[in-house]
């Protein structure tokens, strides 16, 4: 028997289900391209959840190297599958030049970011400030009685024969940075890499145990005693140390190389307003404090503070090293990069 109470309850349930269904239908998904590993873990666990909750949105990471993400964005340029992407600064210059990014909207958060992190015309902006310098196997150095490295040319020291691990310059920003600093030391510039290509094989190249496409194998190679010294960032070193890997960072006297991970909103994406809102949030002190605490992502917003004395010390050291960091000429690099990649693969890694 259907009573008025049952009818009313049924009506309320129907309305509730309809409301829930409507809310579910309105929930949106944003796709963000970025490096996997520490970056993906940091943002999915420590940064994105607050934005997802506040905006009833699901954020899905599309993991890959900067080159991978750029290739995906290029292939889908006419109908973008991603909304925001994180790329190494040099790769981001190429993305902007290819028309893959839309200008970031002016916002209080954008105004708070260091000027040096804002790329030309605000088409992209730094979200993680970094640098490539030298890292070394502290356990091995202590056992051998070796002093910490002080120069990029330490990679060519004969005592490191078959103990240098070098990321491929054709596939990795770390490897490219190290090669270009070697090139500068030999008298070259980003517009003239002949000194580097001419002298690399008979100097650093003689010591290289293995050229690796990225840094994923370094932790294993340090633990097995295969790797003594290699290019890496302070953030990369901190991440390895947190896993118990005995490594330390060393700032070369010639300077480290500025390595900024930048974000851009992808042009013609399906959710432009929400994507811009996410990009602004990721520049906020709140979001960048979470990224620093969760994954040692160095803030571009100076308002972001470290939560522990140890993290504060890391930031202070980082800013000290940034005073001697080198900014590369990415216009010159990108104009010749395909040619360099071919030469590297044929001359150096063959």
């Amino acid at each position: 028997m259907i009573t008025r109470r049952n009818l009313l309850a049924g009506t309320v349930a129907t309305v509730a289900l309809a409301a829930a269904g409507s809310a579910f239908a309105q929930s949106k998904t944003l796709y963000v391209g970025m490096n996997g590993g520490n970056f993906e873990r940091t943002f999915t666990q420590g940064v994105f959840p607050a934005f997802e909750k506040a905006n009833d949105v699901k954020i899905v990471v599309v993991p890959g190297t900067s080159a991978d993400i750029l290739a995906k964005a290029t292939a889908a340029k006419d109908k973008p599958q991603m909304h925001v992407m994180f790329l190494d600064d040099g790769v981001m210059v190429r993305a902007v030049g290819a028309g893959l990014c839309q200008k970031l909207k002016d916002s209080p958060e954008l105004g708070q970011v260091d000027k040096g992190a804002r790329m030309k015309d605000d088409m992209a902006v730094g979200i993680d400030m970094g640098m490539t310098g030298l890292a070394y196997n502290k356990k091995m150095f202590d056992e051998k009685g070796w002093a910490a490295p002080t120069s990029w040319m330490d990679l060519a020291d004969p005592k490191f024969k078959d103990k240098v691990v070098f990321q491929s310059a054709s596939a990795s920003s770390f490897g490219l940075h190290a090669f270009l600093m070697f090139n500068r030391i030999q008298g070259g510039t980003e517009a003239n890499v002949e000194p580097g290509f001419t002298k690399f094989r008979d100097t650093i190249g003689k010591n290289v145990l293995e050229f690796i496409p990225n840094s994923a194998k370094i932790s294993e190679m340090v633990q097995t005693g295969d790797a003594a010294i290699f290019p890496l960032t302070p953030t990369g070193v901190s991440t390895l140390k947190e896993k118990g890997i005995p490594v330390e960072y060393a700032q070369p006297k010639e300077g480290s190389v500025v390595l900024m991970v930048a974000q851009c909103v992808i042009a013609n994406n399906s959710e432009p307003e929400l994507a811009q809102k996410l990009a602004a949030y990721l520049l906020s002190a709140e979001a960048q404090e979470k990224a620093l605490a969760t994954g040692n992502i160095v803030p571009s917003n100076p308002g972001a503070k470290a939560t522990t004395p140890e993290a504060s010390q890391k930031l202070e050291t980082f800013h000290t090293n940034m005073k001697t960091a080198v900014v590369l000429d990415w216009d010159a690099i990108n104009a010749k990069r395909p040619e360099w990649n071919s030469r590297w693969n044929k001359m150096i890694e063959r």
Side-chain angles (χ1 to χ4, degrees):
M1 180 177 179
I2 300 176
T3 65
R4 187 172 183 277
R5 179 179 293 178
N6 289 339
L7 182 62
L8 180 60
T11 301
V12 170
T14 301
V15 170
L17 284 171
S22 175
F24 180 78
Q26 291 173 3
S27 184
K28 296 177 179 178
T29 301
L30 293 180
Y31 293 90
V32 180
M34 65 168 67
N35 279 332
N38 182 59
F39 248 90
E40 181 178 4
R41 179 184 64 84
T42 296
F43 282 87
T44 55
Q45 295 181 11
V47 182
F48 290 153
F51 184 87
E52 290 175 314
K53 183 177 180 180
N55 295 277
D56 186 26
V57 61
K58 175 65 177 175
I59 299 175
V60 176
V61 169
V62 180
T65 65
S66 290
D68 294 335
I69 299 303
L70 177 62
K72 286 182 171 68
T74 302
K77 182 177 182 180
D78 294 335
K79 192 175 181 181
Q81 304 299 304
M82 296 180 291
H83 299 86
V84 175
M85 60 181 171
F86 295 1
L87 303 175
D88 290 348
D89 46 11
V91 181
M92 185 62 82
V93 171
R94 291 161 56 193
V96 171
L100 296 174
C101 299
Q102 64 176 233
K103 183 181 176 72
L104 289 161
K105 287 186 176 179
D106 194 24
S107 67
E109 295 85 359
L110 181 60
Q112 293 164 5
V113 171
D114 282 328
K115 290 183 178 179
R118 297 172 69 165
M119 300 181 73
K120 186 178 179 181
D121 298 327
D122 288 333
M123 297 300 291
V125 63
I127 199 166
D128 174 34
M129 304 303 291
M131 63 184 77
T132 303
L134 291 172
Y136 61 100
N137 185 332
K138 181 70 162 52
K139 181 174 182 289
M140 182 185 295
F141 270 63
D142 287 348
E143 291 174 350
K144 299 285 189 180
W146 294 336
T150 59
S151 167
W152 288 106
M153 290 308 298
D154 285 337
L155 293 166
D157 190 318
K159 72 171 176 274
F160 297 130
K161 175 71 174 175
D162 293 331
K163 293 295 183 183
V164 172
V165 175
F166 205 95
Q167 298 90 337
S168 172
S170 62
S172 165
S173 293
F174 299 164
L176 178 65
H177 289 173
F179 170 73
L180 289 175
M181 288 305 294
F182 171 76
N183 180 62
R184 283 189 174 203
I185 293 168
Q186 303 307 313
T189 65
E190 283 80 78
N192 174 25
V193 293
E194 291 307 317
F197 275 111
T198 299
K199 299 178 181 179
F200 187 91
R201 286 190 66 191
D202 292 330
T203 51
I204 295 175
K206 291 171 66 173
N207 285 348
V208 175
L209 171 66
E210 183 177 351
F211 289 100
I212 55 178
N214 55 57
S215 301
K217 290 181 63 176
I218 284 178
S219 61
E220 175 188 341
M221 297 180 80
V222 169
Q223 292 179 90
T224 57
D226 291 322
I229 185 172
F230 37 88
L232 203 63
T233 64
T235 297
V237 168
S238 294
T239 300
L240 290 175
K241 289 177 70 174
E242 287 175 358
K243 296 177 181 178
I245 311 300
V247 294
E248 292 292 344
Y249 176 81
Q251 179 76 353
K253 65 183 180 182
E254 301 89 356
S256 54
V257 180
V258 172
L259 173 63
M260 180 175 70
V261 177
Q263 67 163 345
C264 87
V265 174
I266 295 179
N268 303 313
N269 77 77
S270 62
E271 296 290 344
E273 291 187 13
L274 193 55
Q276 287 280 356
K277 190 173 184 180
L278 173 61
Y281 171 70
L282 295 177
L283 297 176
S284 69
E286 173 193 346
Q288 295 200 1
E289 284 174 2
K290 293 177 185 294
L292 174 61
T294 306
N296 294 311
I297 306 299
V298 180
S300 59
N301 185 330
K305 305 300 182 185
T307 55
T308 66
E310 182 183 30
S312 295
Q313 181 59 51
K314 286 181 182 178
L315 272 183
E316 183 178 338
T317 301
F318 174 84
H319 290 307
T320 297
N321 288 338
M322 278 294 287
K323 293 177 181 178
T324 59
V326 172
V327 177
L328 298 175
D329 183 350
W330 282 107
D331 288 333
I333 293 169
N334 288 328
K336 294 288 188 178
R337 186 73 186 274
E339 177 186 324
W340 295 357
N341 290 349
S342 178
R343 291 184 69 184
W344 177 271
N345 293 334
K346 292 176 181 178
M347 293 177 59
I348 307 298
E349 290 196 45
R350 65 176 177 82

